Amino acid sequence: MNEKEQLEAARDRVIENIAKNMHLYGISDSIGRMYGMLYFKNQPMTLDEMKEELGMSKTSMSTSVRTLMDLKMVEKVWRKGERKDLYKAEEDWHQTFVDQFTIRWRPSISMNKAAMEKSKKELQNMIINENTPEEIKKQALDDIQKLTNALDYYDWLNRLVTFFETGEIFEYIKKENQTKE
Amino acid sequence: MNEKEQLEAARDRVIENIAKNMHLYGISDSIGRMYGMLYFKNQPMTLDEMKEELGMSKTSMSTSVRTLMDLKMVEKVWRKGERKDLYKAEEDWHQTFVDQFTIRWRPSISMNKAAMEKSKKELQNMIINENTPEEIKKQALDDIQKLTNALDYYDWLNRLVTFFETGEIFEYIKKENQTKE
DNA sequence: CTGTTTATACAGTTTTTTCTGTACAAAGTT
DNA sequence: AACTTTGTACAGAAAAAACTGTATAAACAG
């Protein structure tokens, strides 16, 4: 194995690991591999270059890169005199982590909250309504308690996401590990 | 629609929403639906009862419940004189959130770290080696810088997971929202 | 011990997701 | 204008994941 191969082997090991663990970010191995490759390139890449390097179709490159852009893991780059679109990886993984949270969790939180608030209101009306049988009321009360707990959690989760989003988290968990020195 | 149906509709709306958003925890709709159902039941359930309620095979119930147990979202419950296994949902979602992090992220972090450290070491050896061509050395140095940044991130991430795991997070993001009162 | 009940391993089927090739629209070039 | 290049929509193929039924092992009852 010559030096160039050694270099590539070291790189590929890391890329493969990134790819395998990307499911935590809710993306497939292939897309993770694309990200890993871009991370190690010093130059932004075109779809055709990626197609070449990953041995996949251009269509796949197009959809994969879009997914990564939606997650703010990749950005489009402009270069004078270049007709093709160029893409580069976001390098700051702390930022990527925080963005993930904001992009993926916020919408889910508000969806769930809305559904729970609606159901909670309906159940409260059933409690008020005198025609509701006693047995049903008991169950409704029970469900209301569960929904109240769940809503408290979503409230907490929202505050947590804000804690990340604003970067406040970095005041408590420092980017540079002080304890090392 | 009578009262019982109203109650069920309110419940099902929430369960369906939980199911749809469970992909954030890396689990499928069906498994999410099982969790949602268990969350609203006051009694622990057997596999056969779940099979009945969800209209799925017992095999599915068995594997789904195991997935939820691995994630500490469901626990096995013992009841005197009951031959069948009983399962109940973990009710504290704050705890569930924290567990997710520990269970899913920790192993990935250490896998990635290991791969990166190995590659970093190999690249450093190439730098030292006088036979390595200058051009390769330049690239290796560049990769080492990227790996160093990535390892710093994983170090941060590890400290973050600990911050959750120990419950320290709750000192900063309180479970009860003070600003409400 | 034999017979019964419960949970799960495993193979095969169904469903979903991922990937590709073709077709076409948008933008650039001559 | 006509011709070329680039990115993506869309339909179908390939691969992966989810689900089921049967078979079997483990636990229990008599």
Side-chain angles (χ1 to χ4, degrees), chain A residues 39 91 93-94, chain B residues 116 120 142-155:
Chain A
Y39 180 68
E91 304 212 0
W93 290 7
H94 301 85
Chain B
M116 287 180 180
K120 191 176 169 183
D142 206 86
D143 282 11
I144 287 172
Q145 183 56 54
K146 295 215 164 103
L147 289 174
T148 304
N149 291 344
L151 284 165
D152 280 351
Y153 164 73
Y154 280 117
D155 182 63

Side-chain angles (χ1 to χ4, degrees), chain B residues 28 30 55-57 59-60 83:
Chain B
S28 67
S30 297
M56 289 176 74
S57 73
T59 301
S60 284
R83 278 178 68 173

Side-chain angles (χ1 to χ4, degrees), chain A:
Chain A
M1 188 157 75
N2 67 30
E3 288 85 359
K4 200 176 173 204
E5 284 167 349
Q6 274 179 45
L7 188 82
E8 267 176 29
R11 214 182 246 191
D12 288 349
R13 177 189 302 118
V14 174
I15 291 176
E16 206 46 42
N17 254 277
I18 291 174
K20 281 211 194 88
N21 291 115
M22 268 308 179
H23 61 92
L24 287 175
Y25 279 20
I27 65 185
S28 68
D29 286 22
S30 298
I31 300 184
R33 208 167 291 116
M34 171 187 270
Y35 177 80
M37 178 191 68
L38 282 171
Y39 180 68
F40 278 103
K41 289 282 174 196
N42 299 320
Q43 307 299 328
M45 292 179 86
T46 66
L47 293 181
D48 286 312
E49 285 165 351
M50 295 189 231
K51 168 191 144 110
E52 194 58 36
E53 184 122 356
L54 296 174
M56 289 177 74
S57 72
K58 197 173 179 183
T59 302
S60 285
M61 295 304 97
S62 178
T63 54
S64 295
V65 94
R66 177 141 51 152
T67 302
L68 289 171
M69 289 222 295
D70 290 347
L71 296 172
K72 293 196 185 173
M73 294 177 69
V74 156
E75 56 179 5
K76 208 182 261 196
V77 163
W78 182 85
R79 188 196 285 155
K80 191 180 153 187
E82 175 63 67
R83 277 178 69 173
K84 303 188 183 185
D85 293 350
L86 290 164
Y87 302 94
K88 73 185 274 290
E90 165 62 61
E91 304 212 0
D92 183 350
W93 290 7
H94 301 85
Q95 187 58 47
T96 301
F97 178 88
V98 163
D99 285 342
Q100 286 308 310
F101 251 81
T102 314
I103 296 168
R104 298 195 104 100
W105 288 68
R106 276 257 205 256
S108 285
I109 293 169
S110 61
M111 265 185 62
N112 273 2
K113 258 184 93 167
M116 287 180 179
E117 272 157 4
K118 187 170 180 188
S119 287
K120 192 176 171 185
K121 216 159 274 175
E122 284 176 13
L123 293 170
Q124 279 167 336
N125 286 336
M126 288 175 70
I127 302 272
I128 294 167
N129 187 337
E130 52 199 11
N131 295 330
T132 308
E134 214 45 48
E135 181 52 31
I136 298 284
K137 277 195 188 180
K138 243 170 82 181
Q139 287 180 48
L141 265 174
D142 206 85
D143 283 11
I144 287 171
Q145 183 56 53
K146 296 211 162 107
L147 289 175
T148 304
N149 291 345
L151 284 166
D152 280 351
Y153 163 73
Y154 280 116
D155 184 63
W156 178 85
L157 197 53
N158 249 329
R159 281 178 287 130
L160 180 70
V161 173
T162 304
F163 189 67
F164 283 135
E165 197 178 13
T166 58
E168 215 179 325
I169 177 72
F170 299 115
E171 291 170 25
Y172 301 98
I173 316 287
K174 301 274 187 211
K175 288 192 187 180
E176 310 76 22
N177 188 357
Q178 310 293 347
T179 66
K180 254 186 185 168
E181 339 274 314

Side-chain angles (χ1 to χ4, degrees), chain B residues 14-61:
Chain B
V14 173
I15 292 176
E16 205 47 40
N17 255 277
I18 292 174
K20 281 210 195 91
N21 292 115
M22 268 310 179
H23 61 94
L24 287 175
Y25 280 22
I27 64 184
S28 67
D29 286 22
S30 297
I31 301 184
R33 208 167 290 117
M34 171 187 269
Y35 177 81
M37 179 190 68
L38 282 171
Y39 180 69
F40 279 102
K41 290 281 175 197
N42 299 320
Q43 308 297 330
M45 291 179 85
T46 66
L47 292 182
D48 286 313
E49 285 164 351
M50 294 189 235
K51 167 190 144 109
E52 194 58 37
E53 185 123 354
L54 295 175
M56 289 176 74
S57 73
K58 197 174 179 181
T59 301
S60 284
M61 297 303 98

